[in-house]
Amino acid sequence: MTSEELKEKVEIALDEIRPFLQSDGGDISLLSIEDDKLVKVQLKGACVGCSVNQMTLKSGVEMTIKKHAPQIEQVVNIDA
């Protein structure tokens, strides 16, 4: 899979989880993919400072991304 195809897969995964985040007043954007293994995202809106955002990141976002792009090893949030 090329880096561009990988980015498309990650964007598809984010589009899949985005409505759940938006229903709680939050959002997410893709910042970068490093070495085709590490995805950097930025949680926005109500997700910033939310006490469960790390759980959301791991069990929601990371799991969904790995479903679409299994070679991804980790997803991290970069604070604004």
Side-chain angles (χ1 to χ4, degrees):
M1 181 181 309
T2 67
S3 292
E4 188 59 36
E5 290 170 326
L6 180 59
K7 183 176 187 251
E8 287 177 29
K9 297 268 189 193
V10 171
E11 289 285 7
I12 289 168
L14 293 179
D15 287 344
E16 188 176 304
I17 199 154
R18 188 169 279 119
F20 299 101
L21 298 174
Q22 290 173 337
S23 71
D24 287 330
D27 206 347
I28 191 167
S29 61
L30 175 63
L31 298 179
S32 65
I33 302 172
E34 297 183 4
D35 301 323
D36 291 344
K37 294 178 183 171
L38 173 68
V39 175
K40 292 185 176 181
V41 297
Q42 189 170 71
L43 293 170
K44 299 180 175 187
C47 293
V48 177
C50 174
S51 62
V52 296
N53 74 10
Q54 286 306 306
M55 186 176 72
T56 298
L57 191 67
K58 290 295 174 194
S59 64
V61 177
E62 189 171 285
M63 186 176 71
T64 304
I65 288 174
K66 286 179 175 180
K67 180 176 76 174
H68 290 273
Q71 68 269 45
I72 296 300
E73 294 175 0
Q74 187 178 14
V75 178
V76 295
N77 178 54
I78 305 300
D79 291 325

